[in-house]
PDB file of all heavy atoms in Angstrom:
ATOM      1  N   ARG A 212      -0.403  -4.830  11.358  1.00 88.00           N
ATOM      2  CA  ARG A 212       0.099  -5.099  10.047  1.00 88.00           C
ATOM      3  C   ARG A 212      -0.499  -4.117   9.028  1.00 88.00           C
ATOM      4  O   ARG A 212       0.142  -3.682   8.145  1.00 88.00           O
ATOM      5  CB  ARG A 212      -0.273  -6.489   9.619  1.00 88.00           C
ATOM      6  CG  ARG A 212       0.484  -7.499  10.482  1.00 88.00           C
ATOM      7  CD  ARG A 212      -0.099  -8.974  10.186  1.00 88.00           C
ATOM      8  NE  ARG A 212      -1.446  -9.048  10.384  1.00 88.00           N
ATOM      9  CZ  ARG A 212      -2.313 -10.079   9.992  1.00 88.00           C
ATOM     10  NH1 ARG A 212      -1.725 -11.041   9.241  1.00 88.00           N
ATOM     11  NH2 ARG A 212      -3.499 -10.094  10.152  1.00 88.00           N
ATOM     12  N   ILE A 213      -1.787  -3.844   9.207  1.00 86.00           N
ATOM     13  CA  ILE A 213      -2.403  -2.818   8.405  1.00 86.00           C
ATOM     14  C   ILE A 213      -1.887  -1.475   8.578  1.00 86.00           C
ATOM     15  O   ILE A 213      -1.596  -0.748   7.666  1.00 86.00           O
ATOM     16  CB  ILE A 213      -3.927  -2.910   8.523  1.00 86.00           C
ATOM     17  CG1 ILE A 213      -4.559  -4.100   8.108  1.00 86.00           C
ATOM     18  CG2 ILE A 213      -4.600  -1.600   7.860  1.00 86.00           C
ATOM     19  CD1 ILE A 213      -6.031  -4.333   8.411  1.00 86.00           C
ATOM     20  N   ILE A 214      -1.655  -1.008   9.745  1.00 89.00           N
ATOM     21  CA  ILE A 214      -1.081   0.261  10.107  1.00 89.00           C
ATOM     22  C   ILE A 214       0.333   0.345   9.518  1.00 89.00           C
ATOM     23  O   ILE A 214       0.737   1.254   8.856  1.00 89.00           O
ATOM     24  CB  ILE A 214      -0.962   0.495  11.569  1.00 89.00           C
ATOM     25  CG1 ILE A 214      -2.322   0.528  12.107  1.00 89.00           C
ATOM     26  CG2 ILE A 214      -0.267   1.706  11.901  1.00 89.00           C
ATOM     27  CD1 ILE A 214      -3.326   1.530  11.652  1.00 89.00           C
ATOM     28  N   ALA A 215       1.071  -0.826   9.547  1.00 90.00           N
ATOM     29  CA  ALA A 215       2.396  -0.880   8.930  1.00 90.00           C
ATOM     30  C   ALA A 215       2.402  -0.582   7.464  1.00 90.00           C
ATOM     31  O   ALA A 215       3.217   0.022   6.787  1.00 90.00           O
ATOM     32  CB  ALA A 215       3.138  -2.131   9.387  1.00 90.00           C
ATOM     33  N   VAL A 216       1.354  -1.297   6.842  1.00 89.00           N
ATOM     34  CA  VAL A 216       1.179  -1.181   5.304  1.00 89.00           C
ATOM     35  C   VAL A 216       0.933   0.247   4.976  1.00 89.00           C
ATOM     36  O   VAL A 216       1.475   0.858   3.943  1.00 89.00           O
ATOM     37  CB  VAL A 216       0.163  -2.047   4.745  1.00 89.00           C
ATOM     38  CG1 VAL A 216      -0.157  -1.788   3.239  1.00 89.00           C
ATOM     39  CG2 VAL A 216       0.509  -3.503   4.973  1.00 89.00           C
ATOM     40  N   LEU A 217      -0.001   0.939   5.734  1.00 90.00           N
ATOM     41  CA  LEU A 217      -0.226   2.400   5.452  1.00 90.00           C
ATOM     42  C   LEU A 217       0.951   3.197   5.652  1.00 90.00           C
ATOM     43  O   LEU A 217       1.200   4.144   4.922  1.00 90.00           O
ATOM     44  CB  LEU A 217      -1.397   2.798   6.436  1.00 90.00           C
ATOM     45  CG  LEU A 217      -2.774   2.067   6.174  1.00 90.00           C
ATOM     46  CD1 LEU A 217      -3.732   2.459   7.135  1.00 90.00           C
ATOM     47  CD2 LEU A 217      -3.311   2.328   4.738  1.00 90.00           C
ATOM     48  N   VAL A 218       1.812   2.996   6.705  1.00 92.00           N
ATOM     49  CA  VAL A 218       3.046   3.691   6.906  1.00 92.00           C
ATOM     50  C   VAL A 218       3.915   3.612   5.747  1.00 92.00           C
ATOM     51  O   VAL A 218       4.562   4.438   5.232  1.00 92.00           O
ATOM     52  CB  VAL A 218       3.557   3.397   8.323  1.00 92.00           C
ATOM     53  CG1 VAL A 218       5.003   4.069   8.305  1.00 92.00           C
ATOM     54  CG2 VAL A 218       2.688   3.842   9.332  1.00 92.00           C
ATOM     55  N   THR A 219       4.093   2.308   5.332  1.00 93.00           N
ATOM     56  CA  THR A 219       4.976   1.895   4.197  1.00 93.00           C
ATOM     57  C   THR A 219       4.569   2.646   2.951  1.00 93.00           C
ATOM     58  O   THR A 219       5.394   3.069   2.136  1.00 93.00           O
ATOM     59  CB  THR A 219       5.008   0.446   4.032  1.00 93.00           C
ATOM     60  OG1 THR A 219       5.390  -0.215   5.186  1.00 93.00           O
ATOM     61  CG2 THR A 219       5.856   0.160   2.875  1.00 93.00           C
ATOM     62  N   THR A 220       3.214   2.805   2.747  1.00 92.00           N
ATOM     63  CA  THR A 220       2.734   3.444   1.515  1.00 92.00           C
ATOM     64  C   THR A 220       3.130   4.980   1.629  1.00 92.00           C
ATOM     65  O   THR A 220       3.511   5.414   0.426  1.00 92.00           O
ATOM     66  CB  THR A 220       1.148   3.302   1.551  1.00 92.00           C
ATOM     67  OG1 THR A 220       0.671   1.988   1.537  1.00 92.00           O
ATOM     68  CG2 THR A 220       0.567   4.129   0.408  1.00 92.00           C
ATOM     69  N   VAL A 221       3.063   5.580   2.686  1.00 93.00           N
ATOM     70  CA  VAL A 221       3.490   6.950   2.727  1.00 93.00           C
ATOM     71  C   VAL A 221       5.025   6.986   2.423  1.00 93.00           C
ATOM     72  O   VAL A 221       5.412   7.917   1.556  1.00 93.00           O
ATOM     73  CB  VAL A 221       3.244   7.560   4.126  1.00 93.00           C
ATOM     74  CG1 VAL A 221       3.873   9.004   4.246  1.00 93.00           C
ATOM     75  CG2 VAL A 221       1.732   7.610   4.423  1.00 93.00           C
ATOM     76  N   VAL A 222       5.834   6.132   2.970  1.00 94.00           N
ATOM     77  CA  VAL A 222       7.251   6.132   2.713  1.00 94.00           C
ATOM     78  C   VAL A 222       7.559   5.952   1.307  1.00 94.00           C
ATOM     79  O   VAL A 222       8.408   6.612   0.629  1.00 94.00           O
ATOM     80  CB  VAL A 222       7.975   5.198   3.646  1.00 94.00           C
ATOM     81  CG1 VAL A 222       9.422   5.088   3.306  1.00 94.00           C
ATOM     82  CG2 VAL A 222       7.713   5.617   5.135  1.00 94.00           C
ATOM     83  N   ALA A 223       6.958   4.830   0.780  1.00 93.00           N
ATOM     84  CA  ALA A 223       7.254   4.343  -0.665  1.00 93.00           C
ATOM     85  C   ALA A 223       6.836   5.440  -1.655  1.00 93.00           C
ATOM     86  O   ALA A 223       7.599   5.813  -2.589  1.00 93.00           O
ATOM     87  CB  ALA A 223       6.614   3.129  -0.899  1.00 93.00           C
ATOM     88  N   PHE A 224       5.642   6.042  -1.511  1.00 90.00           N
ATOM     89  CA  PHE A 224       5.226   6.834  -2.463  1.00 90.00           C
ATOM     90  C   PHE A 224       5.681   8.283  -2.417  1.00 90.00           C
ATOM     91  O   PHE A 224       5.675   9.039  -3.278  1.00 90.00           O
ATOM     92  CB  PHE A 224       3.705   6.911  -2.583  1.00 90.00           C
ATOM     93  CG  PHE A 224       3.122   5.680  -3.237  1.00 90.00           C
ATOM     94  CD1 PHE A 224       2.901   4.559  -2.696  1.00 90.00           C
ATOM     95  CD2 PHE A 224       3.185   5.575  -4.626  1.00 90.00           C
ATOM     96  CE1 PHE A 224       2.363   3.419  -3.214  1.00 90.00           C
ATOM     97  CE2 PHE A 224       2.574   4.455  -5.395  1.00 90.00           C
ATOM     98  CZ  PHE A 224       2.249   3.298  -4.596  1.00 90.00           C
TER      99      PHE A 224
END
Side-chain angles (χ1 to χ4, degrees):
R212 298 171 302 168
I213 291 176
I214 300 301
V216 172
L217 295 175
V218 172
T219 303
T220 298
V221 175
V222 174
F224 284 94

